[in-house]
Amino acid sequence: MAVCVAVIAKENYPLYIRSTPTENELKFHYMVHTSLDVVDEKISAMGKALVDQRELYLGLLYPTEDYKVYGYVTNSKVKFVMVVDSSNTALRDNEIRSMFRKLHNSYTDVMCNPFYNPGDRIQSRFVSLGRAFDNMVTSMMIQVC
Amino acid sequence: MEGLTLSDAEQKYYSDLFSYCDIESTKKVVVNGRVLELFRAAQLPNDVVLQIMELCGATRLGYFGRSQFYIALKLVAVAQSGFPLRVESINTVKDLPLPRFVASKNEQESRHAASYSSDSENQGSYSGVIPPPPGRGQVKKGSVTHDTVQPRTSADAQEPASPVVSPQQSPPTSPHTWRKHSRHPSGGNSERPLAGSGPFWSPFGEAQSGSAGGDAVWSGHSPPPPQENWVSFADTPPTSTLLTMHPASVQDQTTVRTVASATTAIEIRRQSSSYDDPWKITDEQRQYYVNQFKTIQPDLNGFIPGSAAKEFFTKSKLPILELSHIWELSDFDKDGALTLDEFCAAFHLVVARKNGYDLPEKLPESLMPKLIDLEDSADVGDQPGEVGYSGSPAEAPPSKSPSMPSLNQTWPELNQSSEQWETFSERSSSSQTLTQFDSNIAPADPDTAIVHPVPIRMTPSKIHMQEMELKRTGSDHTNPTSPLLVKPSDLSEENKINSSVKFASGNTVGQQQTGVVAHPPAVPPRPQPSQAPGPTVHRPVDADGLMTHTSTSPQQIPEQPNFADFSQFEVFAASNVNEEQDDEAEKHPEVLPVEKASDPASSLRVAKTDSKTEEKTAATAPANVSKGTTPLAPPPKPVRRRLKSEDELRPEVDEHTQKTGVLAAVLASQPSIPRSVGKDKKAIQASIRRNKETNTVLARLNSELQQQLKDVLEERISLEVQLEQLRPFSHL
């Protein structure tokens, strides 16, 4: 369902980005990049309120003609951005939330690996860390609505 | 390989030998050292021994399972009888004498041998300490010179077994224990079984199980256990007692059943051994791992933190990627720390990798820490995980390990076993994934967490409230208490507050506003009231009953004031009003926590209807309160909305807080209403009238505030537009 999933580090560089339609990947990269601005805006807006109540799930960042972009930020300012096809009308907010939750859990698992240095790319190419993360992302992407 | 059929005598003999060699009582795997000693005692030339070991599959496996052991024994018998060593000869050679093993000193064993022939059962009780054959040195470093890596495939098997030959010299290469160093890579052929994988860093000396011919494995337990029971059968095994070949024992069958009819011996061997887990950790290895664990973490039930484990495994000089993969596999519960079992599994994987085995996609079953839910699924037939696994049931099923997906294993060698493997692991992993998934859900992120309201102090507003209170008390009309006492609905309160505001003179509003200005601290409380709109919502709603407009404003406005008031009312130690207000204030704080994130709109509306319908019956006062509270569910959205609205209304909040204070004061007085029910009706009616008046006043005030709100919103919009225009530049 998710067309593109990206994990952005605190310093706004990508830790992991993957799209399903392999063609036109650059377009998704660009969308994710532009969505970072929206994420920052939401973070700052919510930050004015009580910080501890800040929601991790940011919701729909912005919709385009074909896609919708959802955002999620962790307490350590690691951002997850997901691009979803707009034709997936059946995709409810709760499902997006659960997908982000799974992402977050997988990311936590990668973090738990002592061989992973925070800030490294989450490599899933090799038989290495990120393999499980990548698999989870794959499962999200090929899920049937 | 065809099933191994043993006669009864053979069966007993072999099982006894097995238990003899099974010094660690694993019942499944024989210690290699013992086995090799045994074979040495068979007085066969080394190459024959090697060949036997190869044929039975132990070299490949690295250890002797029961089937391998039995086959080996049979082959020993074959060799001793002078027959060529072939796989087929195991069953084809009839009337094989029992294999003979000579030990330097042990008559009892020979007696045992005799007893076998006589079919007596003598289990265990091997007595006598048999010093190791001379020369078998106790382990020592690497001396596996004798790598006797005589070509395993040496076709030298023709050597007739010589009956009593002096015990063979111990392998020149003193068996090096894996505890010591050195591993000779020479033995490490491709066939080197996993169990024997060589040490790569210093302390790691590996007991190579069948690799370089048995020599390597001699060590095992470096000092031969004092109770080394030698199966020495000096006298020739009775040849005549061979009974007809009975069907293989159940055990043999179980171990051998996986064997498919294969053509080559290797295949046969592999198939037969495929049931034996190649990833299984031998006892020696496990002991070594445990010792290594102790060097890091003395407590065997404790954890090795990730950083320490990282350093330790980095010493193995494997690439970081592979180490991280190993970690992913072995950290079963994903806690960032390694228990003993996890550590052994990780160590085993490192060893495997060092010896050229590819890392599996998911953790092999035998390496999995024994979990309660795994024991059933993992125990397929006979091959259990390491018996040594301990304490892992304590580990909760892996909390979250997506790394145990049901991927297809791609074993380098065992194609056939992989299927079995997958079934095991899939079964087990599925159960794990289920549990994992559940626990994945458990630590739900805050999104799904129930947003519980947090009571907030309304200190700043107290100042306002004090003003309001003073004004109110000053006003003649407002005795919020008495009329309010009578009037059940909250309207009275609000009306009173508003009226008091008004009555205090037209200046009150202005004063309020100025007061607001003078009280910048009033701003902070604003978010709070909005957050805890619930309890007080119903009150403003009642007031709203009079106010026709407002579906939105009352939400915002009334919410804000209400909270502050009650706490403030507590502060005020005024007359009845204060008392009653206190009562109500007490109630409200209770309500506050419950209704923090309530939906103001719905609650307001509900309260409105409630108030309207219930019209001033003292009895309904408490009902109103309760009703007002019930509809207030804590969805997060209203909180956000309120937050945003707060921001929007910031400039107006001052006024709102003023009104809030008024309303709160009014509302606070309400709880007293029920008590005063019993008072005379005239007072009630009078209070009703006054309440109505205050209602109208409040309505007017509300409309004014609405106007202000709109103005402020327009200003906000314009400001936002300007901000948007500026923003692109700021980001550049």
Side-chain angles (χ1 to χ4, degrees):
Chain A
M1 294 189 280
V3 169
C4 170
V5 172
V7 177
I8 319 284
K10 179 178 178 180
E11 293 82 10
N12 286 337
Y13 62 86
L15 288 176
Y16 176 87
I17 180 162
R18 179 143 159 253
S19 331
T20 36
T22 46
E23 84 282 348
N24 223 358
E25 247 188 270
L26 200 58
K27 177 180 72 173
F28 294 118
H29 289 215
Y30 175 72
M31 287 173 74
V32 169
H33 190 263
T34 54
S35 67
L36 290 179
D37 275 342
V38 186
V39 171
D40 281 340
E41 176 190 346
K42 285 200 184 272
I43 293 178
S44 59
M46 290 167 66
K48 287 179 191 168
L50 295 177
V51 179
D52 55 314
Q53 289 199 350
R54 188 163 58 84
E55 292 248 344
L56 300 183
Y57 175 69
L58 301 176
L60 182 67
L61 296 179
Y62 68 87
T64 64
E65 197 176 310
D66 298 326
Y67 302 99
K68 292 189 237 182
V69 183
Y70 291 90
Y72 181 98
V73 63
T74 68
N75 284 321
S76 56
K77 294 287 193 299
V78 174
K79 308 161 185 78
F80 301 113
V81 176
M82 189 182 331
V83 181
V84 179
D85 204 354
S86 284
S87 58
N88 287 335
T89 51
L91 204 57
R92 297 200 323 272
D93 194 53
N94 281 339
E95 295 171 14
I96 304 280
R97 283 176 191 265
S98 70
M99 286 162 78
F100 273 126
R101 199 174 316 126
K102 282 194 278 182
L103 255 180
H104 198 170
N105 285 333
S106 303
Y107 178 73
T108 311
D109 291 341
V110 172
M111 276 292 160
C112 279
N113 191 324
F115 298 102
Y116 171 78
N117 301 316
D120 290 351
R121 294 207 55 206
I122 301 177
Q123 297 167 337
S124 54
R125 298 187 297 273
F126 310 96
V127 180
S128 64
L129 44 85
R131 171 62 67 93
F133 188 82
D134 198 40
N135 291 335
M136 199 274 316
V137 172
T138 311
S139 70
M140 271 176 26
M141 286 188 170
I142 64 176
Q143 251 174 358
V144 181
C145 308
Chain B
M1 154 184 318
E2 56 267 9
L4 181 64
T5 57
L6 297 175
S7 64
D8 276 347
E10 285 181 324
Q11 180 59 31
K12 285 182 209 152
Y13 185 37
Y14 289 178
S15 62
D16 277 347
L17 286 178
F18 188 84
S19 8
Y20 161 71
C21 292
D22 186 9
I23 53 172
E24 298 205 14
S25 305
T26 60
K27 303 287 187 299
K28 295 292 178 188
V29 175
V30 187
V31 173
N32 289 329
R34 280 297 187 81
V35 174
L36 289 164
E37 290 171 11
L38 190 64
F39 289 164
R40 293 282 166 207
Q43 298 159 355
L44 295 173
N46 279 347
D47 50 353
V48 173
V49 172
L50 287 176
Q51 192 179 5
I52 288 175
M53 294 185 62
E54 180 190 358
L55 283 178
C56 76
T59 52
R60 230 195 93 284
L61 282 179
Y63 57 85
F64 275 92
R66 193 174 280 271
S67 61
Q68 282 79 41
F69 187 72
Y70 284 20
I71 294 168
L73 290 175
K74 202 66 189 275
L75 286 172
V76 166
V78 168
Q80 286 178 341
S81 307
F83 294 100
L85 283 183
R86 296 282 182 273
V87 175
E88 304 79 14
S89 61
I90 291 178
N91 287 331
T92 54
V93 177
K94 308 279 186 202
D95 294 339
L96 261 187
L98 292 177
R100 283 165 291 129
F101 300 94
V102 178
S104 34
K105 331 123 179 183
N106 199 328
E107 309 87 24
Q108 295 190 358
E109 308 311 337
S110 52
R111 268 186 271 123
H112 277 286
S115 68
Y116 280 112
S117 58
S118 58
D119 259 354
S120 67
E121 290 210 359
N122 265 339
Q123 294 293 333
S125 80
Y126 293 107
S127 56
V129 179
I130 306 169
R136 203 143 14 145
Q138 302 272 335
V139 180
K140 302 342 152 228
K141 285 202 192 169
S143 35
V144 186
T145 55
H146 154 92
D147 239 338
T148 49
V149 185
Q150 307 169 9
R152 313 232 187 116
T153 55
S154 71
D156 239 337
Q158 297 300 330
E159 195 167 343
S162 52
V164 183
V165 177
S166 61
Q168 287 189 355
Q169 294 306 314
S170 66
T173 59
S174 54
H176 52 116
T177 39
W178 38 262
R179 285 196 184 82
K180 312 285 174 141
H181 294 261
S182 70
R183 206 65 223 145
H184 33 283
S186 60
N189 299 333
S190 59
E191 280 197 16
R192 172 151 303 186
L194 180 59
S197 346
F200 28 103
W201 62 83
S202 47
F204 195 81
E206 192 43 270
Q208 191 56 241
S209 57
S211 58
D215 306 331
V217 196
W218 286 118
S219 63
H221 358 271
S222 30
Q227 297 297 340
E228 189 171 323
N229 298 323
W230 250 133
V231 180
S232 66
F233 308 92
D235 41 352
T236 58
T239 59
S240 58
T241 58
L242 282 185
L243 309 175
T244 56
M245 300 289 205
H246 292 279
S249 65
V250 178
Q251 275 177 338
D252 285 345
Q253 280 173 345
T254 55
T255 55
V256 182
R257 71 181 171 210
T258 62
V259 173
S261 60
T263 54
T264 64
I266 293 182
E267 271 188 24
I268 290 173
R269 197 185 327 137
R270 286 208 182 147
Q271 287 168 10
S272 64
S273 58
S274 64
Y275 217 71
D276 300 319
D277 185 359
W279 290 102
K280 197 186 296 184
I281 303 178
T282 66
D283 298 330
E284 305 156 7
Q285 290 175 329
R286 181 159 183 92
Q287 190 56 43
Y288 182 74
Y289 299 158
V290 169
N291 291 342
Q292 290 294 312
F293 184 92
K294 281 184 195 160
T295 61
I296 308 177
Q297 162 69 277
D299 177 19
L300 286 184
N301 289 327
F303 290 88
I304 291 186
S307 50
K310 176 179 177 177
E311 293 170 22
F312 183 79
F313 286 113
T314 309
K315 284 192 278 183
S316 71
K317 301 195 182 54
L318 281 180
I320 293 288
L321 289 180
E322 301 194 359
L323 286 174
S324 65
H325 183 71
I326 288 175
W327 176 276
E328 281 187 19
L329 289 179
S330 58
D331 188 5
F332 208 58
D333 47 5
K334 292 284 179 254
D335 57 356
L338 294 181
T339 65
L340 181 60
D341 289 333
E342 291 175 341
F343 178 83
C344 290
F347 212 125
H348 202 63
L349 287 169
V350 169
V351 163
R353 189 78 186 114
K354 271 283 176 175
N355 284 278
Y357 284 79
D358 289 337
L359 292 175
E361 291 296 321
K362 51 182 168 168
L363 195 63
E365 269 208 350
S366 62
L367 293 181
M368 285 185 194
K370 274 264 196 284
L371 301 179
I372 299 176
D373 56 342
L374 265 188
E375 282 169 7
D376 301 357
S377 56
D379 190 1
V380 177
D382 50 352
Q383 299 306 328
E386 267 301 311
V387 177
Y389 281 134
S390 59
S392 17
E395 292 178 13
S399 53
K400 18 171 182 225
S401 63
S403 68
M404 306 291 298
S406 51
L407 297 176
N408 291 330
Q409 294 181 2
T410 54
W411 291 105
E413 300 174 28
L414 303 175
N415 295 330
Q416 301 191 358
S417 63
S418 62
E419 297 171 8
Q420 301 159 5
W421 261 83
E422 284 162 6
T423 52
F424 303 165
S425 43
E426 278 172 3
R427 202 179 329 142
S428 54
S429 61
S430 61
S431 63
Q432 290 166 16
T433 48
L434 283 179
T435 53
Q436 296 158 15
F437 193 68
D438 290 340
S439 52
N440 270 340
I441 293 179
D445 58 3
D447 288 344
T448 56
I450 296 177
V451 179
H452 59 276
V454 175
I456 300 170
R457 307 284 319 267
M458 297 301 180
T459 322
S461 355
K462 283 186 183 178
I463 302 172
H464 288 298
M465 297 321 299
Q466 285 175 359
E467 292 179 356
M468 308 297 293
E469 191 58 28
L470 291 173
K471 292 171 191 169
R472 192 158 19 99
T473 52
S475 68
D476 53 346
H477 136 87
T478 315
N479 219 354
T481 55
S482 50
L484 288 180
L485 293 177
V486 179
K487 184 170 186 177
S489 70
D490 298 337
L491 295 174
S492 58
E493 258 195 7
E494 291 182 356
N495 290 336
K496 288 195 183 136
I497 293 174
N498 286 338
S499 59
S500 64
V501 172
K502 297 280 177 147
F503 295 144
S505 74
N507 295 337
T508 50
V509 177
Q511 287 176 8
Q512 288 171 5
Q513 292 175 352
T514 55
V516 170
V517 173
H519 297 282
V523 177
R526 259 175 263 124
Q528 301 164 348
S530 61
Q531 288 169 357
T536 58
V537 169
H538 57 282
R539 297 185 200 84
V541 173
D542 294 334
D544 291 340
L546 299 181
M547 300 181 239
T548 53
H549 32 257
T550 70
S551 52
T552 58
S553 56
Q555 300 171 8
Q556 297 155 354
I557 300 171
E559 293 166 10
Q560 297 165 355
N562 299 330
F563 310 101
D565 304 329
F566 310 121
S567 54
Q568 294 166 7
F569 288 147
E570 290 174 0
V571 173
F572 299 115
S575 53
N576 293 340
V577 181
N578 290 335
E579 284 179 358
E580 292 147 0
Q581 289 167 355
D582 289 345
D583 297 332
E584 179 152 9
E586 289 163 14
K587 280 191 197 175
H588 295 309
E590 295 170 8
V591 181
L592 277 170
V594 173
E595 303 167 341
K596 176 166 191 184
S598 62
D599 185 342
S602 59
S603 55
L604 285 175
R605 278 182 236 116
V606 172
K608 272 186 192 175
T609 52
D610 289 345
S611 61
K612 282 175 188 172
T613 54
E614 288 166 8
E615 233 356 51
K616 307 152 194 184
T617 44
T620 61
N624 281 344
V625 175
S626 58
K627 282 185 187 178
T629 57
T630 46
L632 302 174
K637 282 185 184 175
V639 177
R640 263 185 259 143
R641 199 193 319 156
R642 256 175 263 111
L643 291 176
K644 290 180 187 170
S645 62
E646 290 165 17
D647 295 344
E648 298 168 5
L649 296 175
R650 202 153 282 176
E652 301 173 345
V653 173
D654 301 339
E655 306 166 12
H656 293 313
T657 48
Q658 288 294 337
K659 188 177 179 188
T660 302
V662 174
L663 296 173
V666 174
L667 296 172
S669 60
Q670 290 196 0
S672 57
I673 294 174
R675 290 188 219 141
S676 56
V677 173
K679 302 198 177 166
D680 53 352
K681 297 216 172 177
K682 287 183 186 175
I684 293 172
Q685 289 166 358
S687 65
I688 289 172
R689 255 180 279 114
R690 264 167 281 161
N691 285 336
K692 285 184 182 172
E693 290 166 7
T694 50
N695 281 345
T696 52
V697 169
L698 285 172
R700 256 176 277 143
L701 181 59
N702 184 32
S703 57
E704 289 173 11
L705 290 172
Q706 288 290 322
Q707 261 310 311
Q708 293 170 2
L709 172 61
K710 288 174 193 169
D711 296 338
V712 170
L713 283 174
E714 288 177 7
E715 292 176 15
R716 176 178 182 265
I717 292 172
S718 64
L719 284 172
E720 282 186 346
V721 168
Q722 293 176 14
L723 180 62
E724 286 301 323
Q725 293 169 357
L726 292 172
R727 182 168 288 199
F729 300 109
S730 65
H731 277 258
L732 287 179

